[in-house]
Amino acid sequence: MIETSKETKAQRAERLKAALNPWSAYAEIERFAREGWDSIPPEWLNTYFRWWGIYTQGDGVGAVGGTGGEGKAVRYLLVRIRIPNGLLTAAQTRRIADLAERYARGVADITVRQNIQLHWVRIEDLPAVIQGLSEVGISTLGSCGDVTRNVTGCPVAGVDADEIVDASPLVQAATAMLNGSPEFYNLPRKFKVSITGCRVWCSYPEINDVGLTAVRHPYTGLTGFSVRVGGGLSTDPHLSRRLDAFVPWEQALSVVKGVTEIFRDSDVLRQSREKARLKFLFLQHGWTAERFTAELERRLGEKLEPAVPEIAPDDVYRDHVGIHPQKRDGLAYVGVAVLRGRLTSQQLRAAAGLAERYGTGDLRATGMQNLLVLNVPRSLADELARELEALGLRIDASPFWRGTIACTGSEFCKIALTETKGFAHRLVADLESRLPGFEQHLKIHVTGCPNSCGQHWIADLGLEGKKVKVDGRLVDAYYFCVGGAVGAHQAVARPVGYRVAASEVPEAIERLLRAYLAERGAGENFRQYCAAHTDEELRNILAGELVEAVERDVALARPPHGVDG
């Protein structure tokens, strides 16, 4: 008897993608809405829906409630709205608020890729949500799946007083080129693009598959871009490699397309779902920046100009919170810190109204899960700030409120081990009480599992979700990683071997921050303090005693298709 080998996860994914371009099958979604949940076949629930920005929603227990590292789903959907460059109008914001109120229990979450997510959407209501978004010029298309995800950029592009160039037109053009195109519906895995013209790289080119950062040529004065490729986090963090290339504006789209084609055509990346991101060309297949440049030039049919010197941001905080002058005299933008990115429909609707009343109706979502109102007369900015504060949207916020990021967590995600949004809220309140005078910027990123949707690898303090037994029962816990950074001092956060129940995290952070305040040198920031201490020293400070290192166990399940937003 001849045994047939079981189809692998990668083989199944490739078979399904070869069989159907989900972007061409919207009629199926309409049919499911008419016929109900039981009419949806598994290949749509687990694969094809994602091309339309849709996931099945977890039951609130997370991964431990199911088998094979993935929890159980309920009969509701997570719907991710694609917001290129984070650009929103008041009309679009108000429409999202209306849809959230009617179909998503009144809640919307800003993600780390400038998207907005809705939860609790029924299959019967899905076409109404998609149509409602389409009427105001936005879409869920391509915000999940093995495609180019939301193209991110500086949220204050076009108004930033210090920007090199407004790169948002390139973000929109790249979106039009890649999203919905039959040429690019079948990539090996998700593909992330960042294009920014700002000096602080607020869209994190370091962790994107391709990142373009604006730079001026020192001899010609021409504005162009540096190019980085192969960035990504998850269970194998890899900061992007800079190519030896200066790319003029008019060549930027061709370069983005060329990098995407290299990824699409790399069959070696289609053999394993766990090793399918572009970064694995560098991590496992021997590629170098030089080889990548040569292949890119072959596809372009021309040599790229050599790279020029650039100044990477040096410990710059990238959250845009506060009142900031715009490049046009007399105008400012006002940024509010949205703790864990969570907004109510009432807050969204009110923010849209305030943007119209005080500005031009322009809002922006940021990569730190915040919201901005643009084009506000400087004389009215303080008044607007007070109105936003009255909505619970802080401008004068503590470093803990400003710097805390949280992924979706087990509340809605089937992969997560821990609940993150409520935990982040409680953590911030606790730290504000414990350390009321703490003033330094600090990034605390909470992620519910090892896949780093909360980007804990680039945080000052990265908290990775785990489970531990306390009095015989499993409880949420977190593993500490410290010293992550981007920009001039880019580094992956170091796992220091300390894991503790979620209830004990605030006290551990307090011990570490008090030690930092007591021991720091003149002008020494928290990143520098962590770099000057060993893992053992930091672990013992966190614990308040000498403790042995605990191994960081990696994910048992496949990395998710892209619940990182």
Side-chain angles (χ1 to χ4, degrees):
M1 179 178 177
I2 300 176
E3 291 189 5
T4 57
S5 59
K6 182 180 178 181
E7 186 178 47
T8 67
K9 290 176 291 188
Q11 289 168 339
R12 181 179 185 276
E14 294 304 318
R15 172 175 60 80
L16 290 175
K17 289 187 292 182
L20 177 69
N21 174 359
W23 287 336
S24 67
Y26 178 68
E28 285 293 276
I29 293 177
E30 294 180 311
R31 179 174 69 83
F32 302 147
R34 291 192 304 269
E35 298 179 7
W37 188 274
D38 290 334
S39 69
I40 310 172
E43 59 267 26
W44 272 91
L45 285 173
N46 300 318
T47 301
Y48 293 144
F49 265 151
R50 290 166 176 157
W51 272 246
W52 285 91
I54 300 158
Y55 288 99
T56 54
Q57 183 171 301
D59 63 359
V61 179
V64 297
T67 59
E70 182 168 330
K72 296 176 182 177
V74 293
R75 293 188 169 205
Y76 292 97
L77 300 168
L78 179 160
V79 177
R80 182 178 297 154
I81 305 165
R82 187 183 188 111
I83 314 290
N85 211 114
L87 276 62
L88 283 165
T89 66
Q92 291 168 337
T93 306
R94 189 175 291 111
R95 178 59 57 88
I96 294 170
D98 292 344
L99 294 171
E101 187 168 86
R102 184 169 182 180
Y103 301 116
R105 302 192 181 181
V107 172
D109 290 340
I110 303 175
T111 78
V112 294
R113 291 197 67 78
Q114 300 177 292
N115 296 304
I116 295 179
Q117 285 184 178
L118 306 180
H119 306 281
W120 299 110
V121 176
R122 301 186 315 144
I123 184 62
E124 292 83 359
D125 299 326
L126 186 56
V129 172
I130 293 174
Q131 179 61 31
L133 295 170
S134 177
E135 289 170 357
V136 292
I138 47 180
S139 173
T140 66
L141 193 74
S143 54
C144 312
D146 294 354
V147 296
T148 303
R149 300 300 181 83
N150 192 39
V151 182
T152 60
C154 176
V156 289
V159 303
D160 176 17
D162 195 40
E163 71 182 354
I164 296 172
V165 67
D166 175 7
S168 61
L170 286 178
V171 171
Q172 301 292 352
T175 299
M177 175 178 69
L178 300 171
N179 191 39
S181 167
E183 283 188 75
F184 299 109
Y185 91 89
N186 182 2
L187 303 180
R189 234 12 173 99
K190 60 187 171 185
F191 186 72
K192 298 180 179 181
V193 179
S194 161
I195 305 173
T196 185
C198 70
R199 298 180 190 274
V200 298
W201 300 0
C202 56
S203 56
Y204 297 126
E206 302 95 335
I207 59 172
N208 279 260
D209 293 285
V210 55
L212 270 58
T213 52
V215 62
R216 285 201 180 90
H217 200 289
Y219 304 119
T220 67
L222 184 69
T223 297
F225 295 90
S226 295
V227 183
R228 287 171 173 78
V229 298
L233 297 177
S234 193
T235 54
D236 297 282
H238 181 257
L239 300 176
S240 57
R241 307 278 182 94
R242 188 185 181 197
L243 304 185
D244 184 13
F246 172 81
V247 176
W249 177 283
E250 60 273 12
Q251 195 180 30
L253 286 180
S254 296
V255 166
V256 170
K257 184 178 182 181
V259 175
T260 312
E261 289 174 340
I262 291 173
F263 181 50
R264 180 196 63 196
D265 298 340
S266 295
D267 288 340
V268 69
L269 297 177
R270 295 180 183 268
Q271 308 309 307
S272 167
R273 295 294 289 172
E274 289 76 15
K275 309 292 181 183
R277 293 289 301 279
L278 184 67
K279 64 184 178 181
F280 286 103
L281 291 181
F282 298 96
L283 288 172
Q284 291 203 333
H285 299 290
W287 282 54
T288 62
E290 292 74 21
R291 178 178 174 183
F292 201 101
T293 303
E295 175 58 21
L296 180 57
E297 289 174 336
R298 186 188 71 80
R299 289 175 179 267
L300 293 172
E302 59 181 326
K303 296 284 287 184
L304 292 165
E305 291 186 50
V308 299
E310 68 176 356
I311 301 173
D314 190 349
D315 285 330
V316 173
Y317 205 58
R318 308 181 183 190
D319 76 345
H320 301 96
V321 170
I323 298 173
H324 301 272
Q326 294 184 186
K327 63 173 61 176
R328 180 178 165 187
D329 286 346
L331 292 182
Y333 69 87
V334 180
V336 296
V338 183
L339 180 58
R340 69 234 164 106
R342 177 149 294 177
L343 292 160
T344 66
S345 55
Q346 293 91 338
Q347 287 174 319
L348 270 176
R349 188 178 294 110
L354 291 173
E356 289 176 323
R357 181 144 57 96
Y358 286 95
T360 53
D362 292 298
L363 301 97
R364 304 283 171 88
T366 84
M368 285 191 70
Q369 301 179 315
N370 296 326
L371 191 68
L372 316 181
V373 177
L374 272 57
N375 303 320
V376 179
R378 184 63 186 83
S379 60
L380 299 177
D382 290 331
E383 184 179 335
L384 170 60
R386 286 192 293 273
E387 293 221 38
L388 289 166
E389 289 266 6
L391 295 172
L393 302 174
R394 292 192 189 177
I395 293 169
D396 184 16
S398 73
F400 306 119
W401 185 287
R402 287 180 65 169
T404 298
I405 297 290
C407 72
T408 298
S410 62
E411 180 183 10
F412 299 119
C413 176
K414 302 187 299 293
I415 304 292
L417 292 168
T418 60
E419 188 282 319
T420 56
K421 296 288 191 183
F423 168 77
H425 192 277
R426 295 188 299 273
L427 174 64
V428 167
D430 205 336
L431 291 175
E432 287 178 337
S433 175
R434 290 170 180 270
L435 296 158
F438 193 83
E439 295 181 349
Q440 186 180 120
H441 288 315
L442 188 73
K443 285 165 62 68
I444 302 175
H445 286 208
V446 183
T447 191
C449 76
N451 293 302
S452 196
C453 299
Q455 301 177 339
H456 70 297
W457 291 121
I458 58 169
D460 295 300
L461 283 171
L463 303 176
E464 181 182 301
K466 303 292 180 186
K467 290 289 189 186
V468 296
K469 275 195 173 182
V470 176
D471 296 330
R473 65 185 185 92
L474 280 178
V475 300
D476 285 2
Y478 286 93
Y479 188 95
F480 280 76
C481 302
V482 304
V486 286
H489 308 285
Q490 68 175 40
V492 172
R494 295 150 43 201
V496 296
Y498 185 61
R499 181 182 62 203
V500 68
S503 60
E504 299 178 37
V505 168
E507 187 176 357
I509 294 177
E510 180 187 9
R511 283 191 289 264
L512 180 57
L513 294 183
R514 287 197 182 281
Y516 159 66
L517 292 173
E519 300 170 9
R520 62 181 171 176
E524 184 178 43
N525 62 29
F526 185 74
R527 177 192 61 77
Q528 294 165 330
Y529 176 81
C530 290
H533 287 74
T534 66
D535 293 352
E536 181 181 13
E537 289 169 335
L538 294 171
R539 180 172 66 251
N540 293 335
I541 294 170
L542 284 163
E545 59 183 343
L546 298 178
V547 292
E548 293 295 320
V550 175
E551 286 295 318
R552 173 186 169 265
D553 52 314
V554 296
L556 298 176
R558 56 179 170 80
H561 283 259
V563 291
D564 53 349

